Amino acid sequence: MELLKTVVEVFLRTYPGFLEATLTTLQITAVALVLGTSLGLIFALMKISRSKVLQTIANLYITIIRGTPLIVQIMFLYFGITTLIVLSGFWAGAIALGIHNGAYIAEIFRGAIQGIDKGQREASSSLGMTRTQSMRRIVFPQALKRSIPPLGNQFIITLKDSSLVYIIGVSELFSIANREAAQSFQSLETYLVVGVYYLVLVMIFTYLLKLYENKLNVDK
């Protein structure tokens, strides 16, 4: 009971700062998801293209990004970019998250596209559609529908991974929690509070994704 009382006290004392940090966390996540989804689609199409050069570039990107830790990528991108362009920690972190997730989203899209029955492509070809038209009108709409559940999981991972941008000075949720824990010497209580913030965000995100899945009848 004493711990619960202290946690409530920490929550009431820190919620103004945590609410502001929550907005920053959501903004970073949103930028990363837009960039990551765009890169994922581009590199998925490159990987399944008939060009060996494009396939090689896509495979190289996916291998390097999936084979190195996100925290290393954030540090590398932040210090690498700032030697050429003045970029805030927010944008460096969001871009790094987007590039990181793009590699995983590319594989999600690739698997979904290649999972569509080839007979549908052959049928569209017999109707006079080009490969691009078949992809746009027949294959991709079905692939997108199949991609929603794994994309949802990846989006939730992105939200949680946004906590790593604290290492480059971004005032998001985990950064505020570290600062509060150091100042108040109430580390356990502070990290429990920030954990609740992340849990609530994930639950809201999961609920919205479930509504979208139901709207698209993903299971049908």
Side-chain angles (χ1 to χ4, degrees):
M1 290 299 295
E2 186 64 30
L3 176 61
L4 179 60
K5 180 181 178 181
T6 308
V7 169
V8 172
E9 290 175 353
V10 171
F11 173 81
L12 294 175
R13 185 179 71 247
T14 60
Y15 79 86
F18 273 129
L19 287 179
E20 184 177 348
T22 297
L23 179 59
T24 301
T25 293
L26 291 174
Q27 289 172 336
I28 291 173
T29 303
V31 173
L33 291 181
V34 170
L35 178 58
T37 303
S38 301
L39 288 175
L41 179 57
I42 291 170
F43 280 98
L45 294 175
M46 289 171 62
K47 191 165 182 178
I48 63 175
S49 71
R50 295 172 178 174
S51 170
K52 293 295 183 182
V53 174
L54 293 180
Q55 290 179 19
T56 300
I57 294 173
N59 285 327
L60 188 63
Y61 163 71
I62 292 171
T63 300
I64 292 174
I65 296 301
R66 294 178 69 181
T68 55
L70 173 56
I71 194 168
V72 173
Q73 295 166 16
I74 292 173
M75 297 293 282
F76 180 82
L77 184 65
Y78 178 64
F79 289 105
I81 284 183
T82 51
T83 59
L84 302 173
I85 305 172
V86 177
L87 200 63
S88 67
F90 174 93
W91 285 104
I95 291 171
L97 276 171
I99 292 173
H100 178 82
N101 283 279
Y104 291 90
I105 293 174
E107 287 295 88
I108 291 173
F109 279 138
R110 178 198 60 76
I113 291 171
Q114 292 184 330
I116 302 300
D117 186 6
K118 292 182 179 180
Q120 297 191 39
R121 303 180 192 181
E122 294 171 356
S124 62
S125 178
S126 67
L127 292 173
M129 291 187 189
T130 64
R131 191 167 185 265
T132 301
Q133 289 174 329
S134 174
M135 179 67 70
R136 188 178 73 250
R137 298 176 183 177
I138 307 296
V139 177
F140 190 70
Q142 296 181 72
L144 179 60
K145 188 175 179 180
R146 292 186 179 188
S147 298
I148 296 301
L151 280 176
N153 290 334
Q154 191 61 42
F155 289 172
I156 290 171
I157 291 171
T158 304
L159 173 63
K160 293 187 289 185
D161 282 349
S162 67
S163 61
L164 291 176
V165 302
Y166 87 94
I167 62 173
I168 54 176
V170 181
S171 294
E172 45 70 61
L173 277 171
F174 195 70
S175 175
I176 297 299
N178 280 336
R179 191 182 310 165
E180 174 63 26
Q183 292 174 351
S184 67
F185 300 102
Q186 293 177 306
S187 299
L188 175 60
E189 294 86 349
T190 302
Y191 291 125
L192 283 173
V193 169
V194 78
V196 170
Y197 276 95
Y198 279 113
L199 179 61
V200 170
L201 289 177
V202 169
M203 290 175 67
I204 293 173
F205 215 155
T206 302
Y207 176 72
L208 293 175
L209 286 168
K210 189 64 178 178
L211 286 180
Y212 189 58
E213 287 182 26
N214 292 338
K215 183 178 179 180
L216 293 180
N217 292 319
V218 170
D219 295 329
K220 295 182 179 180

